[in-house]
Amino acid sequence: MNIRQLQYFVDLSETLNFTKTAQNFYISQTAITKQIQCLEGDLDIPLFHRSKKSVSLTSEGQAYLPYAKKILEDIDLSYKVIEEYRRGKRCTFSIGFIKSLDDELLLNLLQKIKENYPLIHLQYQAYSRLELLHLFKERKLDAIITFEYPEIKDENHLLLKKGHLRKYYHQDCSLNNLKLIYDVRQESLENYEIEQTLLKVCLKEGYAILHDFIESNQYSKYLQYQDLDISSPISFYYHLNSTNKILQNIIHLIEKG
C-alpha cells in the first residue's frame, strides 16, 4: 500500500470510471487498474465490482473508503505542519521573565506573539533573577525578558522599554527620616516580593528603590516618589540561532514595534 494507490482508490470511488481516473492523474488506464489490484491484494478484499458496462464499490470498498480519505487527510496535514514548522509558524517556544516585571509591557508582547503566530505553543513563566539567568545560560529558555544585568549585558537583545528607578515612600513621610528597606538592584534581596515591599512602604517602615512602572500598582495611591537619574531598560534577550525560524519571526515582530 502507498499514498498513490489510496489517491487512485478515492478518486475512482468518485468517478467510477477507470479512464476518467487515469486522465485525472495523467497516467494510463492500465496503470490505474494495476495499482488498484495491488491495493486490493494488500488489503485482501475486493474494492470494486467491475463489468463491461459499469464500476461500483463493493461493501468492503464502501467500508474502507472513509479510512482511506482520513489517511490522505492526515498525510496532507503532516506536510502542512512541517512546512509551518520550517517557516517558524508552528513549534514550542519558551519565554522566561523576571518577577515583578512591567505587567502591561509583558501582556502586550505575549499577546502580540500569540495573535501573529497562533499555531505556536507559547510557554511563559516568571522566575527569580538567579534562576532566570541560570536557565538562560543553560539554554533551557529560548528567550528571556528582564532588566539589564552585568551577567547578560553582552548577550543579544532588543530593547523593549527604557524606564527609570525611583525612591518610593509614603506620602505622609519625609524621605530624610526613612531607612532603605529594598533596592531592586541588590542581589541579596533576590527573593523579596514587590507586593510585600510596597506594603511595608505603605506602613511607613521605610522607602524602596523600584522601577517607575510600579506606580500602576494598587498601593501606589498611598505613595510619592523621587526620581533617580538611573535608567532601567527592559529587554528581550535571546541566543543567536539562525535555524530557529520562530525566534527570527519574533525578533522581526519586536523590531516592527
Side-chain angles (χ1 to χ4, degrees):
M1 181 192 303
N2 57 49
I3 296 174
R4 276 299 186 187
Q5 290 172 351
L6 293 177
Q7 290 173 332
Y8 299 154
F9 166 59
V10 171
D11 190 85
L12 185 57
S13 72
E14 296 172 354
T15 67
L16 296 176
N17 187 299
F18 279 87
T19 300
K20 288 183 179 179
T21 291
Q23 291 173 346
N24 290 339
F25 290 95
Y26 302 98
I27 60 176
S28 69
Q29 180 179 331
T30 302
I32 290 290
T33 300
K34 182 177 180 180
Q35 290 300 313
I36 292 297
Q37 290 174 341
C38 288
L39 181 59
E40 289 176 323
D42 287 342
L43 297 173
D44 197 25
I45 57 173
L47 297 172
F48 294 95
H49 294 299
R50 304 166 178 83
S51 70
K52 293 181 178 180
K53 294 183 178 181
S54 66
V55 175
S56 62
L57 279 168
T58 63
S59 58
E60 295 91 340
Q62 291 174 347
Y64 183 65
L65 181 59
Y67 295 99
K69 288 181 176 179
K70 183 65 166 57
I71 292 171
L72 292 176
E73 289 173 359
D74 289 343
I75 291 173
D76 183 59
L77 178 60
S78 70
Y79 284 122
K80 291 180 179 178
V81 168
I82 293 300
E83 178 59 24
E84 289 169 351
Y85 182 82
R86 287 173 178 166
R87 296 172 60 188
K89 290 188 175 182
R90 182 190 291 265
C91 66
T92 297
F93 193 83
S94 58
I95 298 179
F97 54 92
I98 195 73
K99 288 182 178 180
S100 304
L101 188 65
D102 184 340
D103 55 353
E104 182 177 356
L105 172 70
L106 179 64
L107 286 172
N108 287 341
L109 178 58
L110 295 181
Q111 187 60 41
K112 185 182 294 186
I113 294 173
K114 290 173 70 68
E115 288 176 353
N116 283 270
Y117 304 102
L119 298 180
I120 293 175
H121 177 48
L122 187 62
Q123 298 177 334
Y124 44 88
Q125 185 173 337
Y127 298 93
S128 66
R129 170 183 170 177
L130 294 179
E131 188 174 13
L132 182 70
L133 299 185
H134 172 73
L135 291 173
F136 184 64
K137 181 179 179 181
E138 296 295 318
R139 294 181 177 265
K140 294 181 179 180
L141 292 171
D142 294 308
I144 60 174
I145 305 171
T146 185
F147 309 108
E148 182 182 283
Y149 295 122
E151 300 94 320
I152 57 171
K153 66 177 182 178
D154 295 326
E155 295 284 351
N156 298 291
H157 65 277
L158 295 171
L159 179 66
L160 299 176
K161 180 179 179 180
K162 193 168 186 177
H164 291 82
L165 296 182
R166 290 171 171 172
K167 293 181 179 180
Y168 285 90
Y169 54 102
H170 194 279
Q171 57 190 4
D172 295 334
C173 296
S174 170
L175 185 59
N176 296 330
N177 299 324
L178 296 173
K179 64 177 182 179
L180 175 64
I181 58 173
Y182 179 72
D183 185 340
V184 73
R185 299 166 295 177
Q186 297 299 315
E187 187 174 338
S188 60
L189 299 175
E190 177 67 29
N191 295 320
Y192 221 80
E193 295 294 336
I194 294 298
E195 291 293 321
Q196 181 183 2
T197 300
L198 289 174
L199 185 58
K200 288 179 176 291
V201 173
C202 288
L203 292 173
K204 305 178 182 180
E205 295 183 19
Y207 74 93
I209 297 177
L210 302 167
H211 305 282
D212 55 9
F213 60 78
I214 293 299
E215 64 181 74
S216 62
N217 188 278
Q218 59 179 330
Y219 294 114
S220 62
K221 60 184 177 181
Y222 303 108
L223 308 176
Q224 58 181 322
Y225 61 82
Q226 181 182 100
D227 279 316
L228 298 176
D229 189 22
I230 301 174
S231 64
S232 175
I234 303 174
S235 297
F236 177 88
Y237 290 85
Y238 59 92
H239 296 293
L240 192 60
N241 186 343
S242 59
T243 63
N244 192 328
K245 298 297 184 181
I246 184 54
L247 174 59
Q248 295 177 28
N249 288 340
I250 291 176
I251 290 173
H252 180 64
L253 192 64
I254 294 174
E255 289 175 335
K256 283 173 56 179

